[in-house]
Amino acid sequence: LPLETLTRPACAARLCDRHLGVGADGILFLLAAPSADGRAEMRVINADGSRAEACGNGLRCAAKVLCDHHADLTRDNALSIETEAGARRFEVIDRDGNGAVTRVKVEMGRPAVRRPSLALSLGPHHDGDASTELRGTLVELGNPHLVILDASGDLRHLAETIGPELEHHPAFPQRTNVGFGRLTATGLDLFVWERGCGLTLACGSGACAAAVAAITSGEHQASSPLAVRLPGGDLTVQ
């Protein structure tokens, strides 16, 4: 199918459908780079057909595909990929015995803390709870993230029940990704309600945004790597 067809919202939503389609959080396209700065361009369409400006785990997937199947495009296990959020460079860290990529380091760009402490009011929920107020950190990493650290209760339950309301909160006209995290002695546990997708097993930009929020709040030192534990696996943010 031509790219114009595949990138249509209805086509993307049908392909990403977990029951009637292939099933995915989104579709990632690798194209020839439009400039000499990179050799590939990445576009990401969310499961609901909307565009995603940035995708950290998508970049790692792109790096693996390029290195495992198009090695002629990469130089010294590194490459700059064009995205809607700007050029992002990756570097292969590890390969298995057959030469396949197993670990990738990705440049995510300079984060911007838009609101270090943003208060948001939520309406009553189906279980009869009164209106509540949450406080989070608003971080831009090419795409918007609201990070709620040290959230009380089950993080997955919070992401599933409150995440949709926060994604569509009036404070975010373009919607937002929402991360619910809790710092421990060994790292940060995180669940992300992803804009245009829903509850996701992994979110690279969300992990970075959570690390930025932890540094901004003074709960983590920027000089130390942070282990971020997501349902789909662990990421290291530095």
Side-chain angles (χ1 to χ4, degrees):
L1 294 174
L3 183 65
E4 292 75 14
T5 299
L6 289 169
T7 54
R8 289 175 183 165
C11 182
R14 182 173 180 181
L15 287 170
C16 291
D17 190 292
R18 299 278 184 189
H19 302 286
L20 301 175
V22 178
D25 284 356
I27 304 177
L28 189 154
F29 297 93
L30 283 174
L31 312 170
S35 69
D37 294 335
R39 294 194 174 189
E41 177 188 4
M42 185 180 82
R43 296 185 197 173
V44 181
I45 310 294
N46 292 319
D48 68 351
S50 60
R51 299 286 286 268
E53 305 92 340
C55 182
N57 279 328
L59 281 165
R60 297 193 307 128
C61 291
K64 178 171 175 59
V65 169
L66 288 170
C67 290
D68 285 356
H69 303 290
H70 303 279
D72 56 308
L73 294 177
T74 62
R75 295 174 180 168
D76 301 324
N77 290 322
L79 182 69
S80 180
I81 298 179
E82 298 287 339
T83 75
E84 291 193 36
R88 297 289 184 262
R89 185 172 178 81
F90 74 76
E91 179 183 349
V92 174
I93 302 300
D94 286 321
R95 295 175 182 264
D96 65 16
N98 296 318
V101 172
T102 57
R103 197 154 64 104
V104 178
K105 179 171 68 175
V106 170
E107 174 193 56
M108 292 297 293
R110 184 178 294 275
V113 179
R114 300 302 184 194
R115 296 285 296 274
S117 183
L118 176 64
L120 295 167
S121 296
L122 299 179
H125 294 93
H126 59 81
D127 55 7
D129 288 347
S131 299
T132 57
E133 183 177 276
L134 293 173
R135 191 169 294 275
T137 302
L138 193 59
V139 181
E140 290 275 352
L141 265 159
N143 57 351
H145 289 268
L146 175 67
V147 182
I148 300 167
L149 286 182
D150 300 324
S152 59
D154 182 83
L155 296 179
R156 182 188 182 102
H157 178 73
L158 289 171
E160 288 179 318
T161 55
I162 301 178
E165 184 175 353
L166 288 172
E167 177 193 358
H168 296 274
H169 194 281
F172 312 113
Q174 304 301 317
R175 297 186 294 164
T176 186
N177 301 286
V178 189
F180 295 85
R182 183 176 298 122
L183 282 159
T184 71
T186 58
L188 188 148
D189 296 323
L190 181 68
F191 281 82
V192 177
W193 179 270
E194 193 168 322
R195 179 184 61 166
C197 170
L199 187 68
T200 183
L201 295 180
C203 184
S205 58
C208 291
V212 171
I215 293 167
T216 301
S217 67
E219 298 182 70
H220 181 72
Q221 296 298 314
S223 57
S224 301
L226 180 64
V228 181
R229 293 181 291 268
L230 294 130
D234 297 351
L235 296 174
T236 302
V237 180
Q238 188 167 14

